[in-house]
Amino acid sequence: MKLKLATVPACREAILAIKPYVPGKPIEEVQRELGVQDVIKLASNENPLGPSPDAVQALREASERVYLYPDGNCYYLKNALAEKLGVSPENIIVGNGTDEIIKMLAETYINPGDEIVVADPTFSEYEFAAQVMAGRAIKVPCRSFRHDLKAMAASITPRTRMVFICNPNNPTGTIVGQMVLDSFLKEVPPSVLVVLDEAYADYVTAEHYPDSLAYIRYGRANVIVLRTFSKIYGLAGLRVGYGVAVPEVIRNLNRVREPFNVNLLAQAAAVAALKDEAHYKKSREINIEGKQYLYEQFAALGLQYVPTEANFIFVDIQRDSRAVFQELLKRGVIVRTGDIFGYDTYLRVTIGTPRQNERFIKALREVLGRA
């Protein structure tokens, strides 16, 4: 018997404007589609060294306990973070990646019609989270690929609930310095929450990078700092990130947090990763070396790039980025096209190992006809 289906239940109108996030192309997908077996992925800003061996060992040991629910309070991870960061466990919330915390922020603070202020271009998840709650993003164009904080401050209205500052910014790799941020915060009303997304902070070498956690230690109530284990700690597949704010903000976020939101394996690996300072240092060093190599190669190719404080580089290849992307795929190299950020001739490339960087440059030379 064939059932006749009625009309599909109506979804919330607010979500119809959302463009689903398109992640970097997985290695397995390229292997299936193009039959290329030796593939390197320089698209999603992962640590090319992988996770700490200590984290892998912690995963093995924790795997025997996966029949149990995880600690919903992330007690050991919060305490390890608190000790490392010089804050209290009550200042910390842990999430299924910082993406979840961004969504929790929207669920906690945004009502229909409310606004957030963001740079353009920047990480798309900020706008996504606002739209889910029927809010909207006010986009302020970057100046010379940097946040224009004066213009962002001027864009704050009575409807503004949050300002997102991705620092270093994705996809440009540029940073907001301490003095500029201090001046900006003086202009922000106490009712507006400033979200400092520092997913790539571990790669920064600039001396004028802000000590953002000082705002929390001094009790500033309208700032939250987000960080992640997905980048330098090499745990992207486990999805674990955290936010640091005054206890009142953390308590509000916990009202919308799902129980058991961070799995048992992720918690165990993150605690172990925090303690492995040698792996952390090596990851920073290989990024600095790779950055210098790619700078030199881009200059030799006559390509302009944005100097970065992250583990990726935004480079102008002077061609249609989609076409170059497809040609690089045929050579087993996955990067990120700039058109999704509004820059049709740019690529965002993750800094890899020396071998990966050399392979990318070789493939790029071939595609651009400059071998």
Side-chain angles (χ1 to χ4, degrees):
M1 178 181 172
K2 213 172 185 181
L3 290 176
K4 231 180 180 179
L5 294 177
T7 55
V8 176
C11 66
R12 288 194 303 121
E13 195 171 326
I15 73 165
L16 297 176
I18 296 174
K19 294 178 181 177
Y21 180 77
V22 180
K25 212 169 181 66
I27 289 175
E28 296 81 4
E29 188 175 320
V30 176
Q31 290 172 332
R32 286 195 308 269
E33 291 179 354
L34 300 178
V36 180
Q37 293 308 305
D38 185 12
V39 180
I40 60 171
K41 185 184 177 190
L42 301 175
S44 300
N45 309 330
E46 296 137 336
N47 186 337
L49 297 181
S52 155
D54 295 346
V56 175
Q57 181 58 34
L59 279 173
R60 291 194 182 101
E61 294 172 3
S63 65
E64 298 179 3
R65 307 196 305 275
V66 293
Y67 65 96
L68 298 170
Y69 283 105
D71 173 9
N73 189 42
C74 296
Y75 175 86
Y76 292 107
L77 179 52
K78 279 187 183 177
N79 278 271
L81 283 166
E83 183 178 352
K84 189 174 186 70
L85 303 175
V87 297
S88 164
E90 287 71 38
N91 292 120
I92 299 172
I93 187 165
V94 186
N96 183 34
T98 50
D99 289 356
E100 186 196 24
I101 302 176
I102 291 167
K103 197 173 181 187
M104 282 194 276
L105 284 164
E107 291 168 342
T108 303
Y109 291 104
I110 295 180
N111 288 304
D114 285 345
E115 298 172 352
I116 66 170
V117 176
V118 299
D120 186 21
T122 195
F123 188 40
S124 63
E125 288 298 284
Y126 312 141
E127 181 179 13
F128 161 77
Q131 288 179 315
V132 165
M133 300 307 298
R136 70 188 190 111
I138 305 302
K139 298 181 181 181
V140 178
C142 288
R143 294 184 64 185
S144 301
F145 297 100
R146 299 177 182 277
H147 282 72
D148 186 347
L149 289 191
K150 284 188 177 180
M152 290 177 74
S155 298
I156 294 173
T157 73
R159 298 308 308 257
T160 305
R161 294 294 172 263
M162 289 185 285
V163 178
F164 285 85
I165 300 175
C166 190
N167 199 28
N169 189 34
N170 178 11
T172 63
T174 55
I175 63 168
V176 169
Q178 184 76 65
M179 291 179 62
V180 176
L181 184 58
D182 286 344
S183 297
F184 171 76
L185 289 174
K186 290 175 183 176
E187 299 183 53
V188 177
S191 59
V192 175
L193 184 64
V194 177
V195 184
L196 302 176
D197 186 350
E198 298 185 345
Y200 302 97
D202 299 286
Y203 293 105
V204 174
T205 59
E207 293 182 0
H208 63 290
Y209 188 66
D211 177 10
S212 57
L213 293 176
Y215 300 127
I216 314 303
R217 297 188 195 103
Y218 297 149
R220 188 171 186 113
N222 70 330
V223 171
I224 182 169
V225 179
L226 306 184
R227 293 184 180 173
T228 183
F229 285 87
S230 294
K231 306 306 178 185
I232 203 165
Y233 290 106
L235 301 179
L238 289 176
R239 311 305 301 123
V240 55
Y242 60 95
V244 186
V246 296
E248 293 83 357
V249 170
I250 300 301
R251 284 196 289 269
N252 287 335
L253 291 174
N254 271 316
R255 293 176 185 274
V256 301
R257 180 179 63 83
E258 296 286 346
F260 314 119
N261 62 319
V262 182
N263 72 71
L264 184 151
L265 297 177
Q267 292 183 43
V271 170
L274 271 180
K275 297 175 182 176
D276 192 345
E277 295 183 6
H279 187 267
Y280 179 93
K281 183 180 178 183
K282 187 176 181 182
S283 298
R284 272 180 59 90
E285 288 173 351
I286 199 169
N287 191 71
I288 292 169
E289 293 167 5
K291 177 176 20 176
Q292 192 57 44
Y293 169 80
L294 290 175
Y295 282 176
E296 292 168 357
Q297 295 301 312
F298 291 148
L301 286 165
L303 303 179
Q304 298 293 317
Y305 58 87
V306 183
T308 185
E309 288 291 341
N311 68 333
F312 56 83
I313 303 176
F314 205 43
V315 57
D316 186 358
I317 52 169
Q318 304 163 359
R319 307 276 185 87
D320 175 60
S321 65
R322 296 298 310 178
V324 172
F325 169 79
Q326 291 296 335
E327 288 302 317
L328 288 174
L329 280 186
K330 295 174 185 176
R331 291 160 174 81
V333 178
I334 312 173
V335 293
R336 201 79 154 119
T337 58
D339 61 314
I340 60 173
F341 305 109
Y343 288 81
D344 292 346
T345 65
Y346 278 72
L347 292 178
R348 191 194 68 190
V349 57
T350 304
I351 300 167
T353 62
R355 177 186 167 275
Q356 290 173 333
N357 295 333
E358 289 166 9
R359 182 169 166 193
F360 161 67
I361 290 296
K362 180 177 182 291
L364 185 63
R365 283 182 177 275
E366 291 175 1
V367 173
L368 298 181
R370 301 181 189 178

